[in-house]
Amino acid sequence: MVEVRRTAARFQPERGTVGARVMALAHHPPWTGVRPAQATADRGNRSASREATPAFDEVSEQVETRLSHEQVRGCLRALTPPQRKAITLAHYDGLNYRKVEESLSAPLGTIMTRLRDALIRLRGRVS
């Protein structure tokens, strides 16, 4: 009834009777539009939060990568320190045999043997 009183000045008799106006306001109050607007905003917020969380495949890929890195670290720990240093320089730093030789101040034959032995040892550990 408060709404009927408040909107009385906007009443247009050519559009219907007072009773019809009162019934329309009772069945469809003007504030009902607030709920759908709020629901739309809530849906938008939920959608945005879902997009912000990483997809399952991204998470699983990160886990697999982390496990692979841990496996590689475990394999490297199984090598002797000279083998580990040679492998690190050759495969992770991208140095060729000559550069590894210069870096470690060891003969080329020794470097090649260390790398070969390290790769053989790693081959047995990597699945």
Side-chain angles (χ1 to χ4, degrees), residues 33-46:
V34 173
R35 276 191 235 146
Q38 183 63 45
T40 300
D42 290 346
R43 276 193 304 274
N45 291 340
R46 283 192 304 269

Coordinates of all heavy atoms in Angstrom, one line a residue, residues 33-46:
G33 N 13.0 -6.2 -9.3 CA 14.1 -6.1 -10.3 C 15.5 -6.1 -9.7 O 16.5 -6.3 -10.3
V34 N 15.5 -5.8 -8.4 CA 16.8 -5.8 -7.7 C 17.4 -7.2 -7.6 O 18.6 -7.3 -7.8 CB 16.6 -5.1 -6.3 CG1 17.9 -5.2 -5.5 CG2 16.1 -3.7 -6.4
R35 N 16.6 -8.1 -7.3 CA 17.1 -9.5 -7.1 C 17.7 -10.0 -8.4 O 18.8 -10.6 -8.4 CB 16.0 -10.4 -6.6 CG 15.8 -10.4 -5.2 CD 14.9 -11.5 -4.7 NE 13.9 -10.8 -3.9 CZ 12.7 -11.2 -3.8 NH1 12.3 -12.3 -4.5 NH2 11.8 -10.6 -3.1
P36 N 17.0 -9.9 -9.6 CA 17.7 -10.4 -10.8 C 19.0 -9.7 -11.1 O 19.9 -10.3 -11.6 CB 16.6 -10.1 -11.9 CG 15.3 -10.1 -11.2 CD 15.6 -9.6 -9.8
A37 N 19.0 -8.4 -10.8 CA 20.3 -7.6 -11.1 C 21.4 -8.1 -10.2 O 22.5 -8.3 -10.6 CB 20.0 -6.1 -10.9
Q38 N 21.0 -8.4 -8.9 CA 22.0 -8.9 -8.0 C 22.4 -10.3 -8.4 O 23.6 -10.7 -8.3 CB 21.5 -8.9 -6.5 CG 22.5 -9.4 -5.5 CD 23.7 -8.4 -5.4 OE1 23.5 -7.2 -5.4 NE2 24.9 -9.0 -5.4
A39 N 21.5 -11.1 -8.8 CA 21.8 -12.5 -9.2 C 22.7 -12.5 -10.4 O 23.7 -13.3 -10.5 CB 20.5 -13.3 -9.6
T40 N 22.5 -11.5 -11.4 CA 23.4 -11.4 -12.5 C 24.8 -11.0 -12.1 O 25.8 -11.6 -12.6 CB 22.8 -10.4 -13.5 OG1 21.5 -10.8 -13.9 CG2 23.7 -10.2 -14.7
A41 N 24.9 -10.1 -11.2 CA 26.2 -9.7 -10.7 C 26.9 -10.8 -10.0 O 28.1 -11.1 -10.2 CB 26.1 -8.5 -9.7
D42 N 26.2 -11.6 -9.2 CA 26.7 -12.8 -8.5 C 27.2 -13.8 -9.5 O 28.3 -14.4 -9.3 CB 25.7 -13.4 -7.5 CG 25.4 -12.5 -6.3 OD1 26.2 -11.6 -6.1 OD2 24.4 -12.8 -5.6
R43 N 26.4 -14.1 -10.5 CA 26.9 -15.0 -11.6 C 28.2 -14.5 -12.2 O 29.1 -15.3 -12.5 CB 25.8 -15.2 -12.6 CG 24.7 -16.2 -12.3 CD 23.9 -16.6 -13.5 NE 23.2 -15.4 -14.1 CZ 22.1 -14.9 -13.7 NH1 21.4 -15.4 -12.7 NH2 21.6 -13.9 -14.4
G44 N 28.3 -13.3 -12.5 CA 29.5 -12.7 -13.1 C 30.7 -12.9 -12.2 O 31.8 -13.2 -12.7
N45 N 30.5 -12.6 -10.9 CA 31.6 -12.8 -9.9 C 32.0 -14.3 -9.8 O 33.2 -14.6 -9.8 CB 31.2 -12.3 -8.6 CG 31.0 -10.8 -8.5 OD1 31.5 -10.1 -9.4 ND2 30.3 -10.3 -7.6
R46 N 31.0 -15.2 -9.8 CA 31.4 -16.6 -9.8 C 32.1 -17.0 -11.0 O 33.1 -17.8 -11.0 CB 30.1 -17.5 -9.6 CG 29.6 -17.4 -8.2 CD 28.5 -18.5 -8.0 NE 27.4 -18.4 -8.9 CZ 26.3 -17.8 -8.7 NH1 26.1 -17.0 -7.6 NH2 25.3 -17.8 -9.6

